[in-house]
Amino acid sequence: MRHEHCERIQPICPLCWINRQSVSVLRLSQVARQDGEDIVEGALLCPERMCQREHPIIDGIPVLLANPASWIENQLPYVLRRRDLTGFTESLIGDIAGAGSALDRERGNNGIYAHAHWAPDSPAYLNVFNAARDLLAVPPQGLWLDIGCSVGRGTFELAAAAGDLAVGVDLNFSMLRLAEEIRRTGRARYARRRVGLAFDFIDDPIPELPAGNVSFWCTDVSSLPFAAANFQGAIALNMIDCVPSPLGLLCEIGRVLKPNSEAILATPFDWATGATEVASWLGGHSQRSPHEGSSLTELRRVLSPDCAAGIDTGLTIEAEADGVKWRLRTFERAVTEYDVYLARLRRKAN
């Protein structure tokens, strides 16, 4: 994170926002380690007298959560994970830890998404991103938000397209750290599963990155720590079926966008109970209903101007595309392929 990015983004305390709907703009209270313009370790402080919550900056990533204790309990191994081990030692530890271990899951997931985003021979992520960009009514400009940024390719692409600051947010610290390492070093370093516990160690140079115009933040995308009407646009690619509250995510997108601005939503509607309880899915169940369980019909309903359910996300659908290919390499002999639906959303003018 850079100091000027914090000044531009004006993050707010998520705890104050959830508890009292009060906008307490955080201030940089301490810098413990700095590398040039980059704040690597430090803290952001809530100035509210009844709060005074400190939010850590770890490996250049601000962690802004209403319940950081719960997050750290689940992600502490990834926060403390060393990144300086040789491939030999990491392979040895991986064999000892075994299949299904925390290390195996982390390396496997990071490798899947890093390959999709950054491998020179993989058009997977750019397929979806380019389709999203082409669906926009006007090219990106101003401050943009990449919701569920994963390992960061979309955030860099937005910064390059807009020529301005792009902010990537995700809850997965391990993926954010990989994205931040790419920003600071210009290299994509990750392990990619070949078969079983055998991984190939990738270290690819990534040229011409707009590193000065990218910032990564760790936060809950259903409770974004940003003031209302702060962003000129947003993308949420393959995200709405990966959060506890899809409606909450849509409402947050509507809240943080400036009036009359655009967002792109992309999803294969791949609902899973591990991410979202069935009751919160948009479609995907209740096939006895008039829409026969159609997720697309339900999404269109909740985003229609005359939605009868009393839901007002502040967003309406302006344009759609469908059947965009999203291919994820899981290991050398396996690929998962999705047909992705995309919608251009417009933030209402009032």
Side-chain angles (χ1 to χ4, degrees):
M1 187 196 79
R2 296 186 173 183
H3 190 278
E4 65 268 24
H5 292 171
C6 191
E7 293 292 326
R8 174 86 180 277
I9 295 166
Q10 292 284 287
I12 64 174
C13 177
L15 185 63
C16 288
W17 175 248
I18 287 176
N19 286 347
R20 296 185 293 276
Q21 298 289 290
S22 64
V23 177
S24 303
V25 178
L26 302 175
R27 61 180 177 85
L28 185 64
S29 63
Q30 192 163 354
V31 176
R33 184 157 65 98
Q34 191 161 342
D35 181 10
E37 298 179 67
D38 296 318
I39 299 169
V40 181
E41 294 178 18
L44 296 166
L45 178 68
C46 176
E48 176 65 36
R49 182 172 60 88
M50 298 300 292
C51 181
Q52 295 288 296
R53 169 69 63 81
E54 283 190 306
H55 300 272
I57 302 168
I58 307 169
D59 291 338
I61 303 162
V63 180
L64 271 59
L65 297 159
N67 188 354
S70 175
W71 175 85
I72 203 71
E73 181 179 355
N74 291 311
Q75 300 220 17
L76 187 59
Y78 309 121
V79 172
L80 299 179
R81 166 98 143 86
R82 291 177 59 176
R83 292 281 292 163
D84 61 343
L85 296 175
T86 63
F88 171 85
T89 302
E90 186 168 301
S91 173
L92 179 60
I93 294 172
D95 286 352
I96 295 170
S101 66
L103 176 60
D104 185 48
R105 293 194 303 272
E106 181 196 26
R107 292 198 297 170
N109 289 335
N110 284 6
I112 288 170
Y113 288 97
H115 177 83
H117 281 232
W118 294 108
D121 60 345
S122 171
Y125 182 84
L126 284 181
N127 245 18
V128 180
F129 179 88
N130 289 340
R133 184 192 57 201
D134 293 344
L135 198 59
L136 290 170
V138 295
Q141 57 183 337
L143 181 64
W144 272 66
L145 184 62
D146 181 8
I147 299 172
C149 66
S150 180
V151 293
R153 182 65 179 266
T155 318
F156 288 102
E157 295 291 337
L158 283 175
D164 205 337
L165 179 61
V167 181
V169 296
D170 207 295
L171 197 59
N172 187 306
F173 187 82
S174 182
M175 289 188 181
L176 284 170
R177 179 159 51 193
L178 201 158
E180 175 66 9
E181 283 184 2
I182 292 170
R183 187 191 73 80
R184 291 176 58 202
T185 67
R187 304 191 72 87
R189 295 176 54 251
Y190 59 95
R192 184 177 64 199
R193 193 186 306 276
R194 191 177 342 123
V195 60
L197 294 174
F199 286 77
D200 295 314
F201 294 90
I202 310 301
D203 187 354
D204 286 336
I206 309 295
E208 300 179 6
L209 289 174
N213 279 343
V214 168
S215 190
F216 293 108
W217 297 61
C218 183
T219 186
D220 180 356
V221 299
S222 297
S223 181
L224 294 168
F226 308 121
N230 197 39
F231 290 88
Q232 191 63 45
I235 61 172
L237 306 188
N238 302 333
M239 192 64 197
I240 197 169
D241 52 6
C242 299
V243 296
S245 174
L247 280 176
L249 173 59
L250 291 172
C251 290
E252 280 296 273
I253 294 173
R255 183 182 68 81
V256 301
L257 288 184
K258 293 180 182 295
N260 208 36
S261 58
E262 294 181 331
I264 297 291
L265 179 73
T267 177
F269 299 112
D270 185 23
W271 304 108
T273 54
T276 316
E277 291 186 0
V278 172
S280 297
W281 293 2
L282 301 179
H285 62 86
S286 300
Q287 64 193 61
R288 303 162 306 285
S289 66
H291 59 66
E292 298 181 333
S294 167
S295 288
L296 181 51
T297 301
E298 182 64 8
L299 179 67
R300 287 170 174 163
R301 184 184 73 85
V302 300
L303 291 175
S304 65
D306 56 347
C307 180
I311 301 163
D312 186 9
T313 64
L315 304 168
T316 55
I317 297 176
E318 279 200 334
E320 298 173 294
D322 209 345
V324 177
K325 298 301 181 185
W326 167 238
R327 302 177 80 246
L328 293 176
R329 176 198 181 277
T330 51
F331 68 100
E332 67 179 353
R333 295 179 181 271
V335 172
T336 301
E337 181 172 288
Y338 295 98
D339 285 334
V340 174
Y341 162 81
L342 294 94
R344 182 177 83 228
L345 310 179
R346 175 74 62 182
R347 175 67 172 90
K348 296 175 186 176
N350 52 10

